[in-house]
Amino acid sequence: MQRRRFLAAVGTTVAVGSAGCVSDSGGAGAGGGDAGSDRATLETLAVAGSPGGELPVLPAEPALLDFWATWCAPCKPQMRELRAVREALPAVHMLSITNESDTAAVRDFWTAYEGTWAVAQDTELRTNERFGVTRMPTLLVFDADGTEVWRHVGLAAADTVEAKLREAGAGGA
């Protein structure tokens, strides 16, 4: 059911986007901020390496956003690659975002695949809409100004992700 809702929303986003009418604004997102604004925040889960609490989607520093799902086959090996990125750049802002509403399934996945950074649920798809994400997994790298500097759909190697983060200014590049 959740996957159908996601796919229906994605279809709508693609249809509207191809017409050139995608808006950056939206209603209240999960957590206290508007996920369609530069001040967006999401409530993260307190599980495994995820700290829990509200985090900015994009702080004023280089950042990596990971859009994923528990049902996504490439998302499983992607976790290993992202753990390697976390080890290489422990201070970088990393946030994984799922649209799934089954918190227990998200917690189980995060524990089983040893997530060591923040994970959040955005069941209203506001961050997907804001960043034009329609497929899983999708990785986005942003510089300190909040400008998207790299986008990758599918499984990405840790060294590639790390290099793109360093190009964006992470880790004193």
Side-chain angles (χ1 to χ4, degrees), residues 99-136:
N99 306 125
E100 296 173 80
S101 61
D102 186 345
T103 302
V106 173
R107 287 178 179 279
D108 289 347
F109 182 98
W110 212 248
T111 301
Y113 290 95
E114 303 172 4
T116 57
W117 60 95
V119 62
Q121 292 171 275
D122 180 8
T123 59
E124 295 182 15
L125 303 164
R126 297 204 189 279
T127 50
N128 287 65
E129 292 170 3
R130 165 142 189 240
F131 298 111
V133 173
T134 59
R135 295 187 289 167
M136 306 293 153

Side-chain angles (χ1 to χ4, degrees), residues 26-117:
D34 176 351
S37 78
D38 289 336
R39 294 176 303 279
T41 60
L42 288 172
E43 190 70 28
T44 65
L45 299 175
V47 60
S50 179
E54 197 169 289
L55 283 181
V57 174
L58 287 181
E61 62 187 75
L64 172 67
L65 299 183
D66 164 45
F67 291 85
W68 70 284
T70 60
W71 48 262
C72 163
C75 294
K76 294 172 184 177
Q78 187 68 73
M79 291 292 289
R80 178 182 60 249
E81 300 300 316
L82 293 177
R83 276 195 316 276
V85 171
R86 175 48 112 208
E87 288 174 21
L89 297 168
V92 77
H93 179 83
M94 289 176 62
L95 179 60
S96 288
I97 303 166
T98 183
N99 306 125
E100 296 173 80
S101 61
D102 186 345
T103 302
V106 173
R107 287 178 179 279
D108 289 347
F109 182 98
W110 212 248
T111 301
Y113 290 95
E114 303 172 4
T116 57
W117 60 95

